[in-house]
Amino acid sequence: MKRGMFIALEGGEGTGKSTQARLLAAALEALERNVVVTREPGGTAGAEAIRGLLLSPPGEGWGPRAEALLFAAARSDHVEKLVRPALHAGNWVVCDRFLDSSRAYQGGAGGLGDAAIMALHDFGSEGLRPDLTVLIEVSPDAVTARLAERDMGVADAIGGRDASYHAKVADAFGHVASSEPDLFVTVNGQGTPDEVHRRIMAALAPLLENAA
Ligand code: TYD
């Protein structure tokens, strides 16, 4: 059996991750790989329940530490019940957001720092890392235009945070990607979905050869 790979798609709001996850899965299937597409927060029943708590928080909302713990708890359930079993069975796993969202949002923009997020990940998910994380970058102006169309002014508890929070998220993504060049590729997310998809497939070419 061909070996499966774990690919995460990352980026801020409205960078096209979900569309690219679907296009990537279809392309991998056309190459005769078995593919599981999933997302975070979510992917399992327990993690989807935690997603509801995170994106529509009860009462006055979560503090930064509780928020980071909930993301780590959702990820732990997702990794144990879905991601690891799928990889062991030889599937490719394409995940719309993973650990690096917690590093960028809670660690960077939320101010908890990278070491705290990595410690939670070591405990919660025994440190599982994707084989490759694709960071999709889109300019802030283009994102504002896309989100106005997609969300019609209705954003969730985290997506609706102010522009300075999202600017810190973008900075933190750039920083984590450049600090671990073997684990990341950065892809320009501007252009049509097909253009971006072709860039992602080019970035994945070495992995596809290794896993042939
Ligand atoms: P998602 O539904 O993927 O949002 P979008 O489609 O806008 O990209 O993710 C929900 C929100 O959760 C999004 O604002 C990013 C945030 N998030 C974190 O803050 N930390 C995390 O670890 C993850 C996975 C998501």
Side-chain angles (χ1 to χ4, degrees), residues 9-18 39-42 51 54-55 67-68 70-72 74-75 96-107 117 147 150-151 156-161 165-166 169 173:
L9 299 179
E10 293 281 10
E13 318 288 311
T15 48
K17 298 177 299 301
S18 311
R39 67 164 180 185
E40 289 206 346
R51 177 186 177 92
L54 280 160
L55 300 188
E67 182 178 290
L70 285 168
F71 275 113
R75 183 161 302 123
D96 181 349
R97 297 192 181 278
F98 191 65
L99 165 69
D100 299 295
S101 280
S102 284
R103 298 173 79 187
Y105 284 77
Q106 285 68 48
I117 302 303
L147 288 179
R150 184 187 79 171
D151 295 346
D156 60 57
I158 298 177
R161 288 177 184 162
Y165 181 89
H166 290 291
V169 168
F173 267 132

Side-chain angles (χ1 to χ4, degrees), residues 49 164 174 194:
S164 80
D194 267 352

Side-chain angles (χ1 to χ4, degrees), residues 39-131:
R39 67 164 180 185
E40 289 206 346
T44 57
E48 290 288 336
I50 296 173
R51 177 186 177 92
L53 292 173
L54 280 160
L55 300 188
S56 307
E60 74 217 41
W62 306 106
R65 287 167 192 273
E67 182 178 290
L69 284 161
L70 285 168
F71 275 113
R75 183 161 302 123
S76 174
D77 193 63
H78 184 219
V79 164
E80 183 188 329
K81 300 213 178 89
L82 190 147
V83 178
R84 282 197 198 272
L87 291 169
H88 284 153
N91 295 284
W92 282 61
V93 174
V94 175
C95 192
D96 181 349
R97 297 192 181 278
F98 191 65
L99 165 69
D100 299 295
S101 280
S102 284
R103 298 173 79 187
Y105 284 77
Q106 285 68 48
L112 292 177
D114 204 46
I117 302 303
M118 294 309 271
L120 291 181
H121 189 61
D122 278 347
F123 177 71
S125 298
E126 296 173 284
L128 180 71
R129 301 294 300 271
D131 292 287

Side-chain angles (χ1 to χ4, degrees), residues 16-31:
K17 298 177 299 301
S18 311
T19 305
Q20 291 305 325
R22 281 195 298 276
L23 293 173
L24 175 56
L28 291 170
E29 276 162 4
L31 294 170

